[in-house]
Each structure stands twice: as structure tokens, then as C-alpha cells.
Amino acid sequence: MSALVVLGAQWGDEGKGKMTDYLAETADVVVRFQGGNNAGHTVEVGDKQYKLHLIPSGILYDDKLNIIGNGVVLDPKALFEEANYLKGLGVKFTPEKLLISDRAQLIMPYHRVLDGLKEKARGKADIGTTGKGIGPCYTDKAERSGIRVCDLMNKEVFEKKLRRNIEDKNAIIELYGGETLDFDTIYKEYLDYAERMREHVTDISVRIYDDIKNNKKVLFEGAQGSLLDIDYGTYPYVTSSNTIAGGVCTGAGVGPTMITNAVGIAKAYTTRVGKGPFPTELNDETGDWIREKGHEYGVTTGRSRRCGWLDLVILKSTARISGLTSFAVTKIDTLAGLEKIKVCIGYKFEGKVIDYFPASLEDLAKCEPIYEEFDGWDESVAAATSYEELPENAKKYLKRIEEFTDTRVSSVGVGPKRSQTINIAEL
Ligand code: GDP
Ligand code: IMO
Ligand code: MG
């Protein structure tokens, strides 16, 4: 029995796509369990680069099953756009390769409209969302007015639910000064999606359970990161789903005892897109240097990512909350060339030193990072193919991560390609 969770240990964009693709080589099934097309996962194989948003990163292999779980908010327009993009790159898109949960919530055009209008109305207090309708769709799920994939599969049910929603949402859109939406146009558009999706739709919990019981290796590909989690992230500057390991249970209908490992993907430094607190942020030349060297620009929105030092307080919290069995540290090649590298090992807070992440943003604002300084390493790191070949200073850095978080490092990324991954310990 083998079920492995791959999740972001920071604020997203840690390299989950690359690691999922790498681990998928020996897996049978890859499952997305939360989020939607707000995600942007990059995979590089040979000289080809793939940017995935909604479809699991296992899609690049012809012999793997990919699953969009019930915890995902699914935009059918985005799904078929991505399928066409992949087909253009020679990737097959068939029901044998992709199953969709009948319980997944659908992102509707009014969700995208409301995402934009609500952000605008927040003014300076905006969250900096991706604008994909994620928050409004999860709002409807919690409010119990959402439309699920199984509803779309039944024309009459869909019509009834859509009519009620359009009426309700148009009233809100008007209130925000937006343009109202037309029922007929959306109805027709979605019925077309329904037919194209039908063959992919199933009860994915049943399928995943059977696969795990039959000794298949199942990977759960997280989107976003721990600090964007709706409960444990920097609320309200978070996404609207549970990005932590617990999200797998609710988002894919899998019991906690079925999960065997959880690997936290941690960038060797920290980045964040959108608004919200970031204790180790570097608003200086070093921050700019890291951004350019690491190509830190969003895959989904193209926005530049804020950059800062590695924060071990964050990694320690993630290890605890998600019960991590290991970390996969990515992008140590990006830091090559820096003479000194800093790492946050605690916060000074009201005269005390703390090593956990406070809930209140007001408390977090009072936290002052305490740094430890490391000697840097050179560019030879990018050519390393084994742990032994890594520069000594890079090894010291990795050892400190393990020691502080009490969690081993199972792999290291030294470049964006599938092959540029150093495996240290089997998962
Ligand atoms: P995700 O959202 O977690 O999948 O990460 P993104 O794809 O948004 O951003 C990670 C970026 O770093 C992508 O451009 C990857 O190709 C790249 N990347 C991943 N791992 C490494 C690594 O070890 N070294 C380098 N240089 N780039 C990496
Ligand atoms: P991957 O999977 C980084 C951020 C947005 C915003 C907040 C809420 O590529 O790591 P949303 O549209 O979800 O309501 O936006 O969450 N965000 C991400 N940041 N990586 C992501 O995904 C993100 N998905 C959402 O920038 O701050
Ligand atoms: Mg990303």
C-alpha cells in the first residue's frame, strides 16, 4: 500500500509540479485534491516545458491515471483550454488518462466575475487573488448553492440550479456595478462541456480506494502551499481551500490511515505572490537578484514574486501540521553565487523567542526574524548528480533544515529539469 502526498511547504510555487512529475515515474495514479486553475505547475522534460493549472502533472506520462478530486473547483472552460494546449504539445488526453470526480464543484462565469468585482471593492485591502473565481466558488460550496459535476450531468437538475444561481448572482453583480450574465448563453456553453466531460466522470473515492488496496502507488499533488491554507495560512491572505495534508482526506475521499507519506516541497528560499505578511521578505538588491536568477514570475498571472530568505519557522510549522515524512528542497542552484545566505530560525516576539507561526496578523507584524548566516556555494551545484557531489556548504544548509524541523531531506533540486533532481532517500 502506498499513498504519498506532495504539498507546498511555503506560499506556493515551491516546485510541486516538477517533483510530482519526477515521483510520478514510479507511480500509477496522480490526484489533485484541492484548489483549481489558480495553480501554475511547471514541468520540464528534455527541451520541452509544460505549464499545468488544473490537470494533474502525471498527464505527461501515457500510462498514468490522473484524477481531479472532489475538493477541486473545476472550471470546464479552463479544463478544455488546458487539454487543447497539452494536445498541441503532443500529450494525449483521454478518459483512460483523466478521471473527474462527480462531486467536484464547478467554477461558473459568475464566479470569475465576482472574484474581480470583490477584489476591486476591497480596494487597498485586496487579497491579490488570481482572478479565477476560486474564492466565490468555494463560498457557494460552503453556502450550499454550488453546482457540482454530477448536477451538470443531469440537464434538468443543471437548468434548475443554474436559473436560481444566475438570478441570485446577477443581483449581487448589479450591486457591485458589474455587467449581468445571460442564462441561455451559459446554459448552452455548459451543456457542451457536459457532453465532453461525461466519459471522464466517476466516483473517484471508490477508484482511489481500490487502487491503494491493490498496491498501486498513488500520488496526491497539492496546489498552493501551507501558508495559503484557509485554516493555517496567513488568513485572510490565503486561498479558499485546505492545502495541508489533511485536505487529501476530504478532497479525495481518502481516510488518513491510507496515507503512507507526506513530502513537503520547500524552496531553498521563500517567495510569495499577492498580498499578505512575509517576515523574511527582502525588499533590496538581494531580493531582486534572487527574483531574476530564479525567474520568479507567476505561471498563472505573470506577476513578479516577492522573494526573501528561507524561513525555518514556516517549515517547522508545515512539518507539524501536515505530519511530513520528508522535505524535498528545490532550487538550491538559484542561491549559488551568493557569498552569505541567511536563514530564519525564530522570531523575536514581545521579548520572547518563538519558533511557531502566530495566528494573528497583528502579532505576526510584531515578529522580528532571527537569522543564522551560512557561507554560500558556487555554480558547480547545478552539475551535481548525487548528494556526495554537492558543495560542502550546501550540505551544511540542508543539514540545518533537517535538524531544525526534525524532518529529513529526501531530495534536492539543482535545476528545473526532471533529471536535475538528486534523490537522497527513498520515500
Ligand atoms: P509549483 O507551483 O510548486 O509547481 O512551482 P512553479 O512551477 O510555479 O514554480 C517553480 C519554478 O521553479 C518553475 O519554473 C520550475 O521549473 C522551477 N524549478 C523547480 N525546481 C527547480 C530547481 O530545483 N532548480 C531550478 N533552477 N528551478 C526549479
Ligand atoms: P501553485 O499551485 C502561489 C495566491 C494568490 C493570492 C491567494 C488567493 O502554483 O503554487 P486565489 O486565486 O487562490 O483566491 O488567490 O493565493 N495563490 C498562489 N500563490 N502559487 C499558487 O499556486 C497560488 N494559487 C493562489 O496569489 O495571494
Ligand atoms: Mg506555481
Side-chain angles (χ1 to χ4, degrees):
M1 189 169 102
S2 163
L4 168 70
V5 187
V6 175
L7 58 89
Q10 294 149 324
W11 274 290
D13 305 325
E14 300 91 346
K16 298 175 292 294
K18 181 200 154 181
M19 272 312 289
T20 303
D21 166 75
Y22 173 77
L23 294 167
E25 197 166 5
T26 56
D28 302 289
V29 185
V30 183
V31 186
R32 277 280 308 269
F33 56 93
Q34 46 71 231
N37 59 318
N38 48 348
H41 295 181
T42 318
V43 179
E44 287 192 26
V45 190
D47 56 4
K48 273 194 181 162
Q49 190 190 61
Y50 304 85
K51 293 179 179 184
L52 298 152
H53 299 282
L54 181 60
I55 298 176
S57 299
I59 198 76
L60 305 183
Y61 297 89
D62 276 342
D63 58 343
K64 314 288 175 200
L65 172 65
N66 294 273
I67 294 180
I68 294 181
N70 56 279
V72 170
V73 283
L74 188 156
D75 184 334
K77 184 169 185 272
L79 174 73
F80 292 111
E81 276 170 9
E82 195 165 322
N84 283 340
Y85 156 81
L86 287 170
K87 283 182 202 160
L89 290 169
V91 179
K92 288 198 190 104
F93 180 82
T94 59
E96 288 70 43
K97 280 184 72 182
L98 183 82
L99 293 178
I100 297 170
S101 168
D102 47 7
R103 288 177 168 84
Q105 297 279 331
L106 291 170
I107 293 186
M108 305 299 293
Y110 45 79
H111 291 135
R112 290 192 296 265
V113 170
L114 285 170
D115 199 356
L117 289 172
K118 289 194 175 193
E119 276 286 85
K120 206 168 148 212
R122 286 184 191 113
K124 280 196 176 140
D126 66 331
I127 294 163
T129 73
T130 58
K132 304 292 181 189
I134 307 294
C137 186
Y138 279 116
T139 302
D140 280 3
K141 175 181 180 177
E143 204 219 22
R144 290 147 296 172
S145 60
I147 303 180
R148 298 183 297 164
V149 169
C150 57
D151 302 325
L152 180 63
M153 294 300 119
N154 181 324
K155 214 171 156 182
E156 286 75 41
V157 172
F158 179 64
E159 181 180 351
K160 217 163 110 191
K161 293 202 173 191
L162 182 64
R163 271 197 201 286
R164 201 182 309 141
N165 267 290
I166 290 276
E167 204 179 305
D168 188 40
K169 299 300 188 282
N170 273 344
I172 304 171
I173 289 171
E174 270 185 339
L175 207 67
Y176 279 97
E179 258 180 61
T180 56
L181 298 169
D182 174 51
F183 170 86
D184 290 332
T185 314
I186 299 174
Y187 183 59
K188 206 165 149 260
E189 182 188 340
Y190 273 68
L191 285 188
D192 177 44
Y193 296 143
E195 287 327 301
R196 292 158 74 188
M197 270 166 74
R198 195 172 296 281
E199 275 191 298
H200 298 263
V201 177
T202 191
D203 186 326
I204 60 103
S205 168
V206 173
R207 176 65 196 250
I208 296 169
Y209 182 83
D210 288 345
D211 280 347
I212 297 177
K213 283 283 181 194
N214 289 325
N215 282 326
K216 296 257 171 78
K217 188 171 167 188
V218 180
L219 280 186
F220 294 93
E221 178 182 10
Q224 292 80 54
S226 292
L227 285 181
L228 289 170
D229 182 88
I230 183 95
D231 286 284
Y232 278 94
T234 43
Y235 192 90
Y237 298 99
V238 292
T239 193
S240 304
S241 64
N242 281 118
T243 61
I244 59 176
V248 172
C249 298
T250 53
V254 177
T257 51
M258 303 282 273
I259 297 167
T260 45
N261 283 297
V263 53
I265 315 301
K267 212 178 264 186
Y269 46 97
T270 312
T271 62
R272 161 160 221 174
V273 210
K275 297 264 192 95
F278 182 173
T280 62
E281 182 167 15
L282 287 164
N283 286 308
D284 61 10
E285 277 176 15
T286 311
D288 295 343
W289 185 90
I290 294 175
R291 182 177 309 109
E292 292 315 310
K293 180 115 189 278
H295 311 290
E296 295 296 352
Y297 294 90
V299 180
T300 300
T301 57
R303 290 178 293 178
S304 65
R305 296 174 182 154
R306 298 154 64 192
C307 297
W309 297 123
L310 181 66
D311 191 337
L312 290 182
V313 176
I314 291 176
L315 296 196
K316 192 172 184 157
S317 300
T318 300
R320 184 185 70 250
I321 293 161
S322 281
L324 295 184
T325 45
S326 71
F327 279 111
V329 178
T330 62
K331 300 190 105 165
I332 59 163
D333 55 306
T334 299
L335 295 181
L338 285 174
E339 207 174 312
K340 298 280 178 194
I341 297 168
K342 287 187 187 174
V343 166
C344 171
I345 50 152
Y347 301 144
K348 253 190 232 156
F349 173 64
E350 293 182 338
K352 291 181 299 203
V353 174
I354 59 168
D355 66 352
Y356 58 86
F357 209 79
S360 139
L361 294 196
E362 289 69 31
D363 287 349
L364 190 57
K366 290 185 205 153
C367 285
E368 202 186 306
I370 304 164
Y371 289 110
E372 209 168 80
E373 200 171 67
F374 287 78
D375 290 328
W377 47 87
D378 62 20
E379 300 291 346
S380 69
V381 71
T385 56
S386 67
Y387 179 75
E388 289 67 37
E389 283 170 33
L390 290 175
E392 282 309 311
N393 288 343
K395 286 185 197 161
K396 278 187 198 160
Y397 195 75
L398 297 171
K399 281 255 171 303
R400 187 67 175 118
I401 296 175
E402 290 188 323
E403 185 188 69
F404 189 90
T405 61
D406 195 21
T407 307
R408 71 191 173 142
V409 172
S410 53
S411 74
V412 182
V414 294
K417 295 197 189 314
R418 190 188 275 174
S419 56
Q420 290 174 303
T421 312
I422 297 176
N423 202 36
I424 302 176
E426 287 311 318
L427 294 167

